[in-house]
Amino acid sequence: MLKWNYPITLFLLLVVLSIGYWAYKGSLDTTITATTKPDSHNPDYFLDQATIIKYSHQGTLDYKLSSDNISHYRKNNITLLKHPLMTSYRKSGQVTKAKAVHGKLLSGHNTLVLWDKVVMTQTPDKASEKVRMDTEYLTILSNKSIAETDAPVLISSKNNIVRAIGMQTFYDKGLIQLKSRVRGINEPD
């Protein structure tokens, strides 16, 4: 009888140990679950050497916005730009270009904020000459064809140099409104 008890006991012990091992191993969760939230400090997408093109409702080219680097942030829906260049095309044939070291395209893509060495140029149409505006900060409202700043601005053309603090330009109409401390030099031909 002892002869049979030993193998049966050993067999039962192995079965119990196997079931226990299987139950223990099955209860271990070896998968790592990612519980990360989208980081508001990191972009949800970025592009290098990108160009954004916008057309009007009539199908004509409204503007092109090129940048060395574009980074979009989902939390506040802004797009940061490195070395942006915005080229606006008007019905009159006038082309306005604005470039800077940094830029920010706000939600809706109708407001572009430029800062650090901002240069805006307007190519001449039939009735005007080329105008260049230099400032450190400029807000462009593309849907209203307005550019404005409260910073010091230098406006230069073929025979004129004007310095002012603050400006609003209606580049679709060819008008520039200077806000304060306006000083200028006009040299006739």
Side-chain angles (χ1 to χ4, degrees):
M1 177 105 169
L2 191 57
K3 226 179 186 190
W4 287 99
N5 281 344
Y6 183 71
I8 291 174
T9 307
L10 184 61
F11 175 74
L12 288 174
L13 183 62
L14 283 174
V15 168
V16 169
L17 284 175
S18 297
I19 291 172
Y21 179 73
W22 175 75
Y24 174 73
K25 187 169 180 165
S27 69
L28 291 179
D29 187 12
T30 58
T31 61
I32 298 172
T33 58
T35 58
T36 59
K37 296 178 184 175
D39 189 4
S40 63
H41 300 292
N42 292 323
D44 59 338
Y45 67 85
F46 59 92
L47 303 166
D48 287 330
Q49 302 298 321
T51 301
I52 299 169
I53 300 173
K54 182 180 177 196
Y55 292 92
S56 69
H57 293 294
Q58 293 79 23
T60 59
L61 184 59
D62 191 21
Y63 71 79
K64 283 185 186 180
L65 177 60
S66 301
S67 181
D68 289 350
N69 181 286
I70 295 177
S71 301
H72 181 265
Y73 295 85
R74 181 180 305 189
K75 181 178 180 180
N76 48 9
N77 196 20
I78 64 166
T79 305
L80 295 182
L81 310 162
K82 298 273 183 170
H83 299 104
L85 171 62
M86 181 173 182
T87 307
S88 299
Y89 301 92
R90 299 294 142 219
K91 295 173 192 171
S92 65
Q94 184 183 45
V95 177
T96 303
K97 293 184 179 187
K99 65 179 182 174
V101 175
H102 301 285
K104 177 170 47 173
L105 192 58
L106 301 181
S107 178
H109 302 288
N110 289 322
T111 304
L112 175 64
V113 179
L114 301 173
W115 66 93
D116 289 343
K117 300 178 184 171
V118 180
V119 176
M120 183 174 177
T121 57
Q122 293 180 340
T123 59
D125 58 8
K126 297 171 187 160
S128 65
E129 57 186 43
K130 184 175 182 176
V131 177
R132 176 183 167 132
M133 294 164 256
D134 293 75
T135 186
E136 283 300 310
Y137 189 86
L138 185 69
T139 302
I140 299 173
L141 307 168
S142 64
N143 58 339
K144 296 179 183 177
S145 299
I146 296 173
E148 58 188 1
T149 185
D150 290 326
V153 62
L154 170 67
I155 302 170
S156 55
S157 62
K158 182 179 175 184
N159 297 334
N160 302 309
I161 296 176
V162 177
R163 295 180 188 276
I165 305 292
M167 146 194 102
Q168 190 171 31
T169 178
F170 304 87
Y171 52 90
D172 208 14
K173 299 175 185 175
L175 299 174
I176 299 173
Q177 181 182 23
L178 303 173
K179 295 184 178 179
S180 67
R181 299 185 64 189
V182 179
R183 304 284 183 263
I185 299 171
N186 182 7
E187 296 180 8
D189 286 332

